Amino acid sequence: AQSVAQPEDQVNVAEGNPLTVKCTYSVSGNPYLFWYVQYPNRGLQFLLKYITGDNLVKGSYGFEAEFNKSQTSFHLKKPSALVSDSALYFCAVRDATKAAGNKLTFGGGTRVLVKP
Amino acid sequence: DTGVSQDPRHKITKRGQNVTFRCDPISEHNRLYWYRQTLGQGPEFLTYFQNEAQLEKSRLLSDRFSAERPKGSFSTLEIQRTEQGDSAMYLCASSPSATSGVSTDTQYFGPGTRLTVL
């Protein structure tokens, strides 16, 4: 079974400050990890993914995430947050084992509020 | 816009009625996924197609739910005898992998169909 935990329902940060959104995961095999962002009444927009290789992954809109196998974490970061980054962020995992299938398992989401 | 499209964007129905949603994936994407998202929750997997074959179904997909992808292009999701608990956002996604096995490819999501069952 695969699962994702996003321990913070909401993260508040001042514009220009660093932003971190936490994610931990559990899979039987190796993980494929994803971050998506959702704006009100919209679908999910892909930000970045980790498949293999460098633990630091860079994605869209200045976001990056660091894969930590020992801590089973994949935290999303942005060095300087913008008001327009205010949205709902989802971490997702897929087990790389073929038998586990292709479905993504999502966390419960973290709402980010960036204040001017 | 060449992204995933879904129709309708909103659907209000009365309990007991049948509803059908349509998803058009990104052109040439051979994998198509349906997810359901309830308020304040992350999306939950419902089912997945590779071309026209339905390869995986969640236990969430009760007998009242049926999905098809008859020609390997667009897909439909039908809910029969709707219940108030079916109220949710139904999301469709597609990915471009052309090979079998576990895909490393990104799933690209459509805007969703918001269903309200009265």
Side-chain angles (χ1 to χ4, degrees):
Chain A
Q2 54 194 44
S3 65
V4 174
Q6 293 181 241
E8 301 157 316
D9 290 337
Q10 182 160 322
V11 170
N12 298 317
V13 62
E15 187 174 32
N17 282 1
L19 169 64
T20 298
V21 186
K22 295 179 180 177
C23 170
T24 58
Y25 66 89
S26 175
V27 293
S28 301
N30 290 321
Y32 296 154
L33 293 154
F34 301 80
W35 275 102
Y36 287 86
V37 60
Q38 187 175 37
Y39 296 96
N41 299 313
R42 301 281 296 276
L44 277 71
Q45 295 181 28
F46 168 72
L47 284 178
L48 51 79
K49 67 181 178 183
Y50 171 82
I51 301 300
T52 188
D54 195 344
N55 289 342
L56 184 64
V57 178
K58 294 187 182 297
S60 306
Y61 313 117
F63 284 94
E64 58 188 30
E66 186 167 10
F67 170 63
N68 188 317
K69 187 172 184 177
S70 63
Q71 296 186 3
T72 61
S73 67
F74 189 56
H75 302 328
L76 181 70
K77 300 180 181 182
K78 186 170 184 179
S80 179
L82 302 172
V83 172
S84 57
D85 293 329
S86 298
L88 193 55
Y89 290 79
F90 290 98
C91 181
V93 69
R94 181 192 300 149
D95 193 321
T97 306
K98 182 177 179 179
N102 286 285
K103 68 177 182 182
L104 287 175
T105 297
F106 286 85
T110 298
R111 186 166 303 281
V112 170
L113 181 59
V114 182
K115 297 181 179 179
Chain B
D1 190 327
T2 57
V4 178
S5 61
Q6 294 186 244
D7 184 70
R9 294 290 306 276
H10 303 273
K11 179 69 176 178
I12 300 174
T13 191
K14 293 182 179 180
R15 188 177 55 184
Q17 298 295 305
N18 298 344
V19 295
T20 300
F21 310 140
R22 175 180 171 126
C23 170
D24 288 88
I26 294 172
S27 180
E28 298 180 357
H29 278 193
N30 67 341
R31 293 184 169 184
L32 186 147
Y33 309 79
W34 285 99
Y35 292 82
R36 181 173 68 186
Q37 183 180 21
T38 53
L39 202 60
Q41 302 296 320
E44 296 174 295
F45 171 79
L46 292 178
T47 190
Y48 144 67
F49 291 85
Q50 180 161 316
N51 299 313
E52 66 277 6
Q54 189 174 17
L55 296 185
E56 201 171 341
K57 293 170 62 174
S58 163
R59 280 173 285 183
L60 291 175
L61 214 64
S62 74
D63 291 344
R64 296 185 297 105
F65 287 70
S66 62
E68 294 183 342
R69 194 182 183 198
K71 297 182 179 180
S73 56
F74 73 91
S75 175
T76 58
L77 178 67
E78 180 183 16
I79 308 174
Q80 296 181 329
R81 305 181 304 281
T82 52
E83 302 173 355
Q84 289 184 327
D86 297 331
S87 295
M89 176 79 86
Y90 290 84
L91 295 167
C92 176
S94 67
S95 69
S97 177
T99 58
S100 60
V102 176
S103 171
T104 62
D105 291 309
T106 302
Q107 294 180 22
Y108 294 93
F109 284 79
T113 295
R114 181 167 297 282
L115 172 66
T116 302
V117 182
L118 301 176

